[in-house]
Amino acid sequence: MHHKSMQYFNGSIIVFRGTGGDVVISNNTIKNAFNAIRWRGKVGGYDSNVEIYGNNISQVRDNDFEPETYTYNLYIYHNFSHNIHRTLSVDHVNGGYIYYYGNVITTDNDPWTIKVCTSFWKIYGSPGRNLEYPLYLFNNSFYGCAYAYKTDVGESIQTKHFNNAYYFSLDNGWIVNKWDSTDVFDYDISNKKWPENFVKHNQEKHGKIADIKYIDPSNRNLKLQKDSPGIDAGKVMSFPELDWTQTYSGKAPDVGAYENGNLVEGPAFRFRIPPGVSLSYKEKPRIVRYKIDGEDLLLYFSDKINDSTIDRSKIKVYQDNVNIPVESVSVTNDSYEI
């Protein structure tokens, strides 16, 4: 149920409103819900610095991710969503810097899903309720009976949409009723033709209308076949504000959620305070990602590390329960990495 006499069923498994510090929601399974994760922040810095990743969400009557009112510095990545009415709804939201990448979204073709799962994503806007900073929607894979649906924009939405793969399994496709001059769509692949507004506004200059050739989409395997037109066909993404440029194998990034068979790597989370906002919360640097490169262990932190607090003798590294000597320590990338 949704509104009117049954509106009290319009709830979520996880709701937060007005948080002052980091929010991290990861590695959960959510099934059979109205909404999965939804928040309605207070304008002015609350509900900032949110990470949602590694979740498996299915059979949701409304949205699995729904920011409302305000959000800032939001990362949604590496989630698997199945049979969702609308997987991402940006609902009359101020703020921005939303990074939505490496997600796999699928639907079945049974009668319930065809009736309920109407669109892969939708953006709502209205005067005074629009993003001030971009929504980056890149390197995601979509398969199923839903539409790719973008409409109801207000003054400024700032959707930056690159390297996404779409396969529409029924007689559906793109619906883009309105257009905003801040939007950019390119390097995407779709098996259905682009909407009139894409053609009219000179979008998808490098995009392709083709079968992306997923390995086994009916079983939710959206990795690319070896002869997929999405291989080496993407744009190299780069976010200077995060000191991040996309890595890839081959001549260019692959289109879709996978790079060389693995979920794409996006920017590591960095804590950021919204412009003009004073938060009482003080972020303590936490490890948000690690990588092993030969004999180097790379640690990525949510905030800057104070070089003077690092004592090599107190850093312990273990492999297979064996203590490995730390030969040297260096702080790099503007003090966000060790």
Side-chain angles (χ1 to χ4, degrees):
M1 309 302 292
H2 199 173
H3 295 301
K4 299 182 179 179
S5 64
M6 296 294 181
Q7 64 182 335
Y8 47 83
F9 284 118
N10 184 0
S12 305
I13 296 296
I14 299 172
V15 180
F16 51 95
R17 298 184 178 185
T19 61
D22 282 358
V23 176
V24 182
I25 302 172
S26 63
N27 302 318
N28 303 284
T29 296
I30 298 175
K31 186 175 182 179
N32 297 335
F34 186 79
N35 288 297
I37 304 169
R38 174 174 172 248
W39 60 102
R40 183 178 294 166
K42 301 176 181 178
V43 174
Y46 292 96
D47 291 342
S48 306
N49 298 297
V50 179
E51 288 183 274
I52 304 173
Y53 64 89
N55 301 285
N56 198 319
I57 304 174
S58 61
Q59 308 299 123
V60 171
R61 181 59 181 83
D62 202 10
N63 309 285
D64 51 1
F65 310 116
E66 187 177 17
E68 296 182 343
T69 307
Y70 185 88
T71 194
Y72 180 83
N73 202 35
L74 165 63
Y75 297 63
I76 301 176
Y77 60 96
H78 294 179
N79 299 285
F80 290 83
S81 300
H82 184 61
N83 289 350
I84 313 294
H85 169 63
R86 188 168 290 131
T87 187
L88 175 66
S89 288
V90 180
D91 195 351
H92 298 89
V93 176
N94 289 121
Y97 287 125
I98 300 173
Y99 306 94
Y100 182 92
Y101 67 87
N103 299 289
V104 176
I105 299 94
T106 56
T107 74
D108 295 322
N109 287 338
D110 60 90
W112 184 90
T113 307
I114 292 170
K115 179 178 177 61
V116 171
C117 300
T118 61
S119 63
F120 288 128
W121 54 283
K122 187 174 181 180
I123 298 175
Y124 302 85
S126 60
R129 279 286 182 269
N130 296 279
L131 296 175
E132 290 92 359
Y133 307 99
L135 158 62
Y136 293 105
L137 201 156
F138 66 98
N139 281 103
N140 301 282
S141 292
F142 302 82
Y143 171 84
C145 64
Y147 292 87
Y149 197 94
K150 177 188 178 294
T151 188
D152 294 345
V153 300
E155 297 170 340
S156 177
I157 290 297
Q158 303 205 52
T159 302
K160 315 301 179 185
H161 184 284
F162 303 103
N163 300 352
N164 298 290
Y166 291 86
Y167 189 95
F168 301 98
S169 59
L170 298 178
D171 294 331
N172 48 22
W174 292 86
I175 298 178
V176 182
N177 291 336
K178 298 181 181 179
W179 187 257
D180 185 85
S181 61
T182 61
D183 291 343
V184 182
F185 287 69
D186 205 0
Y187 290 90
D188 303 296
I189 295 181
S190 167
N191 69 318
K192 296 294 179 70
K193 66 178 183 179
W194 306 120
E196 181 180 348
N197 266 324
F198 280 16
V199 177
K200 180 180 178 180
H201 293 93
N202 202 27
Q203 301 299 302
E204 294 296 349
K205 296 177 182 178
H206 305 91
K208 299 178 182 178
I209 299 175
D211 180 352
I212 188 64
K213 293 188 176 181
Y214 295 131
I215 288 179
D216 190 5
S218 61
N219 288 308
R220 303 177 64 185
N221 182 350
L222 302 195
K223 294 181 180 180
L224 301 181
Q225 298 180 29
K226 292 183 179 180
D227 61 344
S228 167
I231 293 176
D232 294 350
K235 169 186 173 68
V236 180
M237 300 297 297
S238 182
F239 302 121
E241 71 274 14
L242 300 174
D243 294 324
W244 178 81
T245 298
Q246 188 172 17
T247 58
Y248 55 90
S249 59
K251 298 179 181 179
D254 293 344
V255 172
Y258 293 94
E259 174 67 33
N260 199 26
N262 299 310
L263 289 172
V264 297
E265 181 180 291
F269 173 85
R270 288 190 179 184
F271 179 83
R272 288 190 286 182
I273 298 176
V277 171
S278 178
L279 294 179
S280 59
Y281 171 80
K282 174 62 178 176
E283 171 75 358
K284 295 181 178 179
R286 58 184 175 86
I287 296 174
V288 294
R289 179 178 297 171
Y290 72 89
K291 292 172 65 174
I292 297 174
D293 182 13
E295 294 186 346
D296 292 333
L297 172 62
L298 310 177
L299 303 179
Y300 299 76
F301 288 83
S302 61
D303 210 347
K304 291 187 177 184
I305 298 294
N306 186 341
D307 296 28
S308 64
T309 65
I310 297 174
D311 184 345
R312 179 172 62 87
S313 66
K314 293 183 178 180
I315 298 177
K316 305 296 182 183
V317 178
Y318 292 86
Q319 182 177 10
D320 298 328
N321 295 320
V322 176
N323 188 4
I324 300 174
V326 178
E327 296 179 0
S328 63
V329 177
S330 61
V331 178
T332 60
N333 275 9
D334 198 25
S335 299
Y336 280 97
E337 299 174 18
I338 292 179

